[in-house]
Amino acid sequence: MAAAAAQQHRHPKRRRLFLSPSPSPSPTPTLVAPPLVTLADELLFLVLDRVAQADPRALKSFALASRACHAAESRHRRVVRPLRPDLLPAALARYPCATRLDLSLCARVPDAALASAVSSSCSALRAVDLSRSRGFGAAGVTALAASCPGLADLDLSNGVDLGDAAAAEVGRARGLRRLSLARWKPLTDMGLGCVAVVCTELRELSLKWCLGVSDLGIQLLALKCRKLTSLDLSYTMITKDSFPAIMKLPNLQELTLVGCIGIDDDALDSLDKECSKSLQVLDMSQCQNITDVGVSSILKSVPNLLELDLSYCCPVTPSMVRSFQKIPKLQTLKLEGCKFMAYALKAIGTSCVSLRELSLSKCSGVMDTELSLAVSRLKNLLKLDITCCRNITDVSLAAITSSCTSLISLRMESCSRVSSGALQLIGKHCSHLEELDLTDSDLDDEGLKALARCSKLSSLKIGICLKIGDEGLTHIGRSCPKLRDIDLYRCGGLSDDGIIQIAQGCPMLECINLSYCTEITDRSLISLSKCAKLNTLEIRGCPMITSTGLSEIAMGCRLLSKLDIKKCFEINDVGMLYLSQFSHSLRQINLSYCSVTDIGLLSLSSISGLQNMTIVHLAGITPNGLTATLMVCGCLTKVKVHEAFKSMMPAHMIKNVEARGCVFQWIDKPFKVEVEPCDVWKQQSQDVLVR
């Protein structure tokens, strides 16, 4: 009997996990939770998705709960993002069901690390991202292609040292659907040909900044990869010799030609009528050799175009705008930085009646009369960008708000001639707004009270609005619960009371900029610590904030990834210790002018994913402390440090850190503690603009 009892109690946990519930023989019935293994994976994965959405690190805790939880989490994970390349084999073995390998946290990935991935555990991988990694070559690409037979998505952007040999190995992945070779400057037609001949199933390809590719390679690509739907040839040297072949791709839907100086009016005029009925998106921004004549010519070839980008391209003339009638389905028109000739803007209203999005950012020649006439006919407009259109006044805004009542995005930064009274019209008539940018405007508290009617707002940028105060911000906090991003840069009239209202009323907040709001204190940060989804916090130039407030942020906002505390003079090592303990998602930090010493700086090395540090004018930092920190922080990709340290640090240490893929930016700026008042700073900025 004793032996039987001992055997019965030897594995109590296993019994509870695997035995199905049965009626209890005791008089008092007990509830037994259903075992984890009885749940279908689909249901369990839905639960884990919810858990990861709230806190990605919670999955690690779940996996440590039991063997069954460990196995379930292993089956659930689809994306592997190792911190260091030497962890790659273990990570792939741990997650055999992963379909995406993201190496963006690894600044340097040598060929040996990619070769170590050659195993059956990689057979499930469908996508690999090496866009931020260096150190690998043709051998590494060979190993990757061999180990991932089902590879369909490969991002090798920024491979500035990769060329034809590596491209030939890319061709081993015959099933590729999406490929990015952006910034492969040594790549020539020969390497591109190796890819084109083998990877005939390609749907999306980026050759941006591939300066060695000529018309010959592009023609071969167009001949072999007939299934292409998206092609990016920005800043390449293509000319009219290969342009017709590109435009005749039967399935091409998106073509990007940013900065292609070889594309001119002759190239655009060489196309046959309606030669590309499939093309829906065309980006010819910064093509400086194109005129309005060439634009008018190409539109006859793309009758089904939905989106056209001519930013910084050529002056906009009435005849060019009238040619837009050839593309009646056009929904998005971007003309940023263009010069409008007389009557051209007015013509947009009559020629583009189907427009949903119009960008006139930084355009010259935009006046009240023509803009008012244009928007009065664009009743279905959803997005409008008139940033830095400094000649428009209340007349234009009245026309916009009365005609375009369905707007979901309005960007009008630095429209300085629009009065505070006119800005109230936005809230009264455009209640569907989700994104609003009124940076550097005459907005006041009455305007914010009116904007509170826009309850769907998710992004609000009202930086350098010197007339707003806590009262106006209170209205926003009480009425806009969906707010995720708010920019209050240099709003000197704000105090803790207004920020507290935002924190309490906007629980979904992810990003807030309070830089140079000099009156806020730790009270604001304590209230913001309740916003669990906060990932970006900018509080530079807030001298009344201390480590007390920062510690609350660290404990409450576990998703914090970007932190700017430059010129927060009262933040010291205590704040760094809290960050090292709780902010494991931190990727970027600016510590300049803080009261941090070697102890605090070295504590940050425990944040394994930290990639970007700015540490200029830290009086408490010594060369030894800086050296120790840089040696321990293995994931750093960029460090800004004062030039004086360059001669004080061992040269071999600097080379060692650079060999890991980290880039040093040596800053030689004078020490400047004073923070100018917001109104003084704004006046100085306007004086510079006038000059």
Side-chain angles (χ1 to χ4, degrees):
M1 293 293 291
Q7 183 68 23
Q8 183 178 3
H9 293 285
R10 183 170 298 172
H11 302 293
K13 291 184 179 180
R14 186 177 298 175
R15 272 193 334 133
R16 286 199 298 271
L17 182 62
F18 290 100
L19 291 181
S20 59
S22 58
S24 173
S26 62
T28 304
T30 58
L31 296 177
V32 180
L36 184 65
V37 293
T38 62
L39 292 176
D41 276 354
E42 291 80 2
L43 181 59
L44 181 59
F45 291 172
L46 286 175
V47 174
L48 294 181
D49 287 339
R50 288 289 186 92
V51 171
Q53 187 176 8
D55 182 3
R57 293 181 60 83
L59 289 180
K60 182 176 181 180
S61 300
F62 173 83
L64 295 175
S66 69
R67 290 182 179 179
C69 293
H70 188 274
E73 196 270 338
S74 177
R75 298 194 306 274
H76 167 260
R77 187 178 291 262
R78 292 294 180 265
V79 180
V80 174
R81 189 178 291 110
L83 296 172
R84 303 193 311 271
D86 56 290
L87 299 175
L88 184 56
L92 293 175
R94 167 76 173 86
Y95 301 107
C97 298
T99 58
R100 179 177 178 82
L101 175 60
D102 184 354
L103 294 167
S104 59
L105 295 179
C106 302
R108 186 174 181 83
V109 181
D111 290 337
L114 290 177
S116 66
V118 181
S119 64
S120 58
S121 62
C122 299
S123 58
L125 284 180
R126 297 292 181 269
V128 176
D129 185 352
L130 281 159
S131 60
R132 298 185 180 181
S133 303
R134 305 286 188 276
F136 62 92
V141 176
T142 301
L144 186 63
S147 65
C148 306
L151 195 61
D153 184 344
L154 181 58
D155 192 342
L156 299 174
S157 302
N158 301 306
V160 292
D161 297 322
L162 300 177
D164 293 342
E169 301 305 326
V170 170
R172 293 175 178 266
R174 295 176 175 269
L176 279 177
R177 298 294 191 276
R178 181 182 180 276
L179 174 63
S180 178
L181 304 178
R183 294 186 182 274
W184 279 38
K185 295 183 180 181
L187 182 68
T188 68
D189 295 336
M190 182 177 296
L192 180 58
C194 293
V195 174
V197 169
V198 180
C199 302
T200 56
E201 297 296 318
L202 274 176
R203 302 300 196 275
E204 300 178 31
L205 176 63
S206 175
L207 297 173
K208 183 177 181 180
W209 280 110
C210 291
L211 301 179
V213 173
S214 70
D215 290 321
L216 181 61
I218 299 300
Q219 288 172 341
L220 180 59
L221 176 71
L223 179 65
K224 295 295 183 180
C225 300
R226 306 292 291 172
K227 298 180 181 180
L228 277 173
T229 61
S230 177
L231 181 59
D232 188 347
L233 298 174
S234 300
Y235 303 104
T236 58
M237 309 313 297
I238 65 168
T239 68
K240 65 177 182 180
D241 292 337
S242 59
F243 193 59
I246 298 169
M247 295 297 291
K248 290 180 181 179
L249 284 168
N251 300 297
L252 191 63
Q253 298 177 10
E254 181 176 356
L255 178 60
T256 306
L257 301 169
V258 178
C260 289
I261 58 176
I263 299 297
D264 54 16
D265 290 351
D266 289 340
L268 301 183
D269 191 47
S270 64
L271 301 176
D272 298 332
K273 184 177 181 180
E274 296 190 357
C275 67
S276 180
K277 294 185 177 182
S278 62
L279 195 66
Q280 298 179 1
V281 180
L282 177 60
D283 187 349
M284 296 192 298
S285 57
Q286 300 183 46
C287 289
Q288 300 176 359
N289 291 324
I290 291 176
T291 69
D292 58 316
V293 176
V295 173
S296 301
S297 298
I298 192 175
L299 295 184
K300 71 179 186 297
S301 306
V302 287
N304 297 314
L305 202 64
L306 300 178
E307 180 175 334
L308 177 62
D309 192 341
L310 298 172
S311 300
Y312 300 97
C313 184
C314 62
V316 181
T317 64
S319 60
M320 184 180 88
V321 174
R322 284 193 292 271
S323 69
F324 291 163
Q325 295 177 356
K326 301 173 184 176
I327 43 177
K329 298 179 182 179
L330 188 67
Q331 296 182 2
T332 300
L333 178 60
K334 297 180 181 180
L335 300 169
E336 297 177 16
C338 291
K339 179 180 180 180
F340 274 83
M341 309 306 289
Y343 307 112
L345 183 54
K346 176 184 175 181
I348 289 180
T350 56
S351 302
C352 308
V353 292
S354 299
L355 274 187
R356 298 293 186 271
E357 179 178 355
L358 175 62
S359 178
L360 304 174
S361 174
K362 301 178 182 178
C363 289
S364 60
V366 177
M367 302 296 180
D368 281 335
T369 304
E370 293 198 31
L371 180 58
S372 299
L373 288 172
V375 297
S376 66
R377 299 179 180 179
L378 301 176
K379 302 292 185 180
N380 298 319
L381 203 63
L382 298 178
K383 296 183 179 182
L384 177 62
D385 187 351
I386 49 175
T387 297
C388 294
C389 292
R390 302 180 186 276
N391 292 323
I392 66 171
T393 67
D394 298 357
V395 175
S396 291
L397 189 56
I400 292 169
T401 54
S402 61
S403 302
C404 307
T405 55
S406 299
L407 281 176
I408 61 173
S409 175
L410 176 60
R411 304 180 65 183
M412 46 183 300
E413 175 185 349
S414 297
C415 293
S416 53
R417 298 183 64 186
V418 178
S419 69
S420 57
L423 292 173
Q424 296 179 27
L425 297 174
I426 299 174
K428 293 178 180 178
H429 299 291
C430 303
S431 58
H432 300 290
L433 277 173
E434 299 174 9
E435 178 188 12
L436 179 61
D437 187 350
L438 296 177
T439 302
D440 191 16
S441 69
D442 202 38
L443 185 68
D444 57 14
D445 284 345
E446 286 300 316
L448 284 177
K449 182 178 180 180
L451 290 177
R453 300 180 184 181
C454 305
S455 58
K456 298 179 182 179
L457 273 178
S458 62
S459 175
L460 178 61
K461 299 183 184 298
I462 48 177
I464 326 179
C465 293
L466 305 186
K467 294 183 179 181
I468 65 173
D470 296 334
E471 181 183 350
L473 217 54
T474 298
H475 291 295
I476 297 296
R478 292 175 178 174
S479 305
C480 303
K482 297 182 180 180
L483 199 63
R484 295 178 181 272
D485 181 2
I486 185 167
D487 186 349
L488 300 169
Y489 175 78
R490 287 192 183 271
C491 292
L494 299 177
S495 70
D496 292 328
D497 294 337
I499 306 303
I500 290 173
Q501 292 297 325
I502 290 293
Q504 292 177 348
C506 308
M508 310 293 288
L509 199 64
E510 297 178 2
C511 175
I512 184 168
N513 186 350
L514 298 172
S515 296
Y516 300 104
C517 295
T518 54
E519 298 301 316
I520 68 170
T521 69
D522 289 338
R523 289 181 57 216
S524 292
L525 267 60
I526 292 172
S527 64
L528 288 171
S529 67
K530 306 300 189 296
C531 301
K533 294 188 177 182
L534 192 69
N535 58 59
T536 300
L537 176 62
E538 298 182 58
I539 50 175
R540 73 161 60 187
C542 297
M544 300 174 69
I545 288 179
T546 72
S547 291
T548 301
L550 185 59
S551 63
E552 293 291 333
I553 290 290
M555 290 187 289
C557 306
R558 302 296 183 91
L559 301 181
L560 191 67
S561 61
K562 180 180 179 181
L563 178 63
D564 187 346
I565 51 177
K566 178 181 178 180
K567 292 192 176 181
C568 293
F569 309 113
E570 299 300 320
I571 291 181
N572 54 29
D573 292 342
V574 175
M576 301 303 102
L577 292 173
Y578 273 92
L579 289 176
S580 66
Q581 181 69 24
F582 298 102
S583 300
H584 297 286
S585 298
L586 197 62
R587 297 289 179 265
Q588 180 176 334
I589 187 170
N590 188 340
L591 299 171
S592 300
Y593 292 92
C594 292
S595 300
V596 176
T597 69
D598 291 345
I599 296 174
L601 189 63
L602 191 56
S603 69
L604 294 178
S605 62
S606 64
I607 304 176
S608 54
L610 191 61
Q611 293 183 299
N612 192 321
M613 293 179 65
T614 301
I615 40 181
V616 181
H617 294 309
L618 287 180
I621 298 298
T622 67
N624 289 337
L626 179 58
T627 300
T629 301
L630 296 178
M631 291 298 292
V632 177
C633 293
C635 288
L636 285 175
T637 59
K638 185 177 182 180
V639 176
K640 292 183 180 180
V641 64
H642 198 275
E643 191 175 32
F645 279 100
K646 188 173 184 180
S647 59
M648 302 179 189
M649 298 165 62
H652 68 275
M653 187 283 303
I654 296 177
K655 291 182 179 180
N656 190 0
V657 175
E658 289 177 335
R660 297 198 311 239
C662 181
V663 177
F664 283 95
Q665 186 172 347
W666 304 101
I667 306 298
D668 185 17
K669 289 184 178 180
F671 185 78
K672 184 179 181 181
V673 177
E674 297 80 9
V675 177
E676 298 115 336
C678 295
D679 54 347
V680 175
W681 177 88
K682 183 173 181 178
Q683 184 60 50
Q684 292 174 347
S685 301
Q686 290 175 345
D687 292 343
V688 171
L689 185 62
V690 170
R691 295 195 200 105

